[in-house]
Amino acid sequence: GTTLGASAAERGRYFGTAVAASKLGDSVYVSILNREFNMVTAENEMKWDATEPSQNNFTYANGDRIANQARGNGSRIRGHALTWHNQQPTWAQNMSGSALRSAMVNHITNVATHYRGQIFSWDVVNEAFADGTGGGRRDSNLQRTGNDWIEVAFRTARAADPGAKLCYNDYNTDGVNPKSTAIFNMVQDFKNRGVPIDCVGFQSHLTNSVPGDYQANLQRFANLGVDVQITELDISGANQAAVYGTVTRACLAVARCNGITVWGIRDSDSWRTGQNPLLFDNSGNKKAAYNTTLSALNTG
Ligand code: G3I
């Protein structure tokens, strides 16, 4: 193939990007988006603060703009994210206990129902585990509603959109480490108890290198009977081009790795200001990292 999306499709995968609704009027941005990508994630527009700014008052205009653009281009959509400790609306930040738990369930039901049938995978729960060596949950208002909040979120999402793959998504999980192992143990427990989980997202915000056991880590999750997806890839540093190739080959080597999403199109679109971690420069030209990625998709 001659584009990321077409080349990934030849390998039975997708290649996606995060999209910001505010950039859909930028012709350089949209032409790269339509040419190269066949999966789209809303960078912010489907999050809790964006979709439910006041309690039980749902706003989908910007999320729908991205979904409609994707559909028009024949792209699939990753829903991001039904629950997260970050980017909650103020009213939810100030809630706790059973009231917050009910609000969470209502939120998931409404948003997943609105997008029912349109979403390839939903990030049902984002970043719920703590960094460091403890292997525990991250403290948050949601966590303080009870340790079962994650499985409640997954069961609620399944009921609202039975056709979407339901993912757990996190960062600093790129190798075998205490955080990824804690998530591995949760997924294994969910599979054993019949809690509906279909996939695990590895954000893969990387700096100059990737752990040597990246592929092995993806594979151990796949061996639990879930799909794996690289969901927010961006790589800074001098080894950028080579590391993009390594990450791409790792996904292709794991049968249950569905695809790769990069977290933005041009360097100037990245949340990592000044780090130039993406595949296109500020003018929209292909970088060396684009070439190693495309070549890995085509030749391994
Ligand atoms: O839209 C407002 C704008 O009206 C206001 O003038 C401006 C002033 O600060 O803020 C704008 O909102 C910003 C929003 O991005 C849209 O640009 C927020 O401040 C800013 O915090 C927000 O950042 C997003 C970040 O998540 C929030 O945590 C990034 O765009 C987004 O790339 C980033 O994405 C996350 C994933 O969802 C989860 N994994 C980590 C990843 C990187 O942090």
Side-chain angles (χ1 to χ4, degrees):
T2 58
T3 65
L4 300 169
S7 302
E10 287 168 7
R11 309 294 297 270
R13 308 308 203 278
Y14 62 77
F15 207 99
T17 181
V19 167
S22 61
K23 293 173 185 163
L24 290 177
D26 175 334
S27 60
V28 173
Y29 183 86
V30 171
S31 72
I32 300 171
L33 172 61
N34 288 346
R35 186 185 74 220
E36 297 287 342
F37 298 100
N38 52 17
M39 179 70 77
V40 157
T41 304
E43 188 173 2
N44 290 294
E45 293 79 352
M46 296 187 190
K47 293 171 179 176
W48 198 348
D49 60 352
T51 51
E52 196 181 1
S54 62
Q55 190 170 12
N56 211 27
N57 173 21
F58 292 88
T59 59
Y60 298 111
N62 287 328
D64 287 354
R65 214 160 275 152
I66 291 174
N68 292 339
Q69 207 281 340
R71 195 180 310 103
N73 191 45
S75 289
R76 291 182 287 183
I77 303 166
R78 293 194 80 261
H80 174 78
L82 291 171
T83 67
W84 191 19
H85 66 277
N86 200 355
Q87 282 181 290
Q88 294 181 5
T90 309
W91 63 266
Q93 291 174 32
N94 293 330
M95 286 182 92
S96 63
S98 58
L100 176 60
R101 178 65 71 86
S102 302
M104 177 193 86
V105 167
N106 185 56
H107 178 75
I108 294 170
T109 299
N110 275 275
V111 177
T113 300
H114 177 80
Y115 288 108
R116 180 182 176 126
Q118 299 187 53
I119 304 292
F120 176 73
S121 333
W122 261 116
D123 290 332
V124 177
V125 173
N126 193 40
E127 302 175 8
F129 279 79
D131 292 314
T133 56
R137 297 280 183 88
R138 172 196 296 278
D139 179 55
S140 72
N141 59 344
L142 291 167
Q143 180 62 29
R144 290 190 293 272
T145 68
N147 210 49
D148 64 340
W149 75 275
I150 296 183
E151 60 192 88
V152 169
F154 276 88
R155 292 187 198 282
T156 305
R158 178 70 97 225
D161 186 355
K165 290 181 197 282
L166 304 183
C167 295
Y168 177 82
N169 189 52
D170 216 326
Y171 68 91
N172 282 351
T173 52
D174 311 306
V176 175
N177 62 39
K179 185 176 181 180
S180 64
T181 297
I183 295 163
F184 177 90
N185 290 337
M186 178 188 74
V187 173
Q188 187 169 51
D189 172 57
F190 281 11
K191 295 300 280 186
N192 287 340
R193 291 191 295 113
V195 178
I197 185 167
D198 306 304
C199 41
V200 176
F202 298 82
Q203 294 184 12
S204 308
H205 296 295
L206 300 171
T207 300
N208 213 36
S209 65
V210 60
D213 55 5
Y214 187 76
Q215 183 185 318
N217 189 47
L218 298 177
Q219 187 64 58
R220 74 169 173 155
F221 279 85
N223 291 346
L224 291 176
V226 290
D227 290 340
V228 295
Q229 302 170 357
I230 297 167
T231 53
E232 304 182 12
L233 181 63
D234 48 23
I235 307 170
S236 64
N239 293 327
Q240 169 178 84
V243 179
Y244 264 104
T246 303
V247 168
T248 302
R249 283 188 294 273
C251 179
L252 293 173
V254 175
R256 294 196 74 146
C257 183
N258 303 147
I260 298 172
T261 294
V262 289
W263 205 240
I265 297 179
R266 300 160 301 195
D267 285 333
S268 49
D269 299 316
S270 175
W271 68 293
R272 297 171 72 174
T273 307
Q275 296 183 43
N276 300 328
L278 295 174
L279 299 177
F280 297 87
D281 71 16
N282 296 354
S283 306
N285 300 307
K286 297 169 180 173
K287 294 167 57 184
Y290 174 95
N291 295 325
T292 55
T293 304
L294 184 69
S295 147
L297 289 169
N298 283 312
T299 62

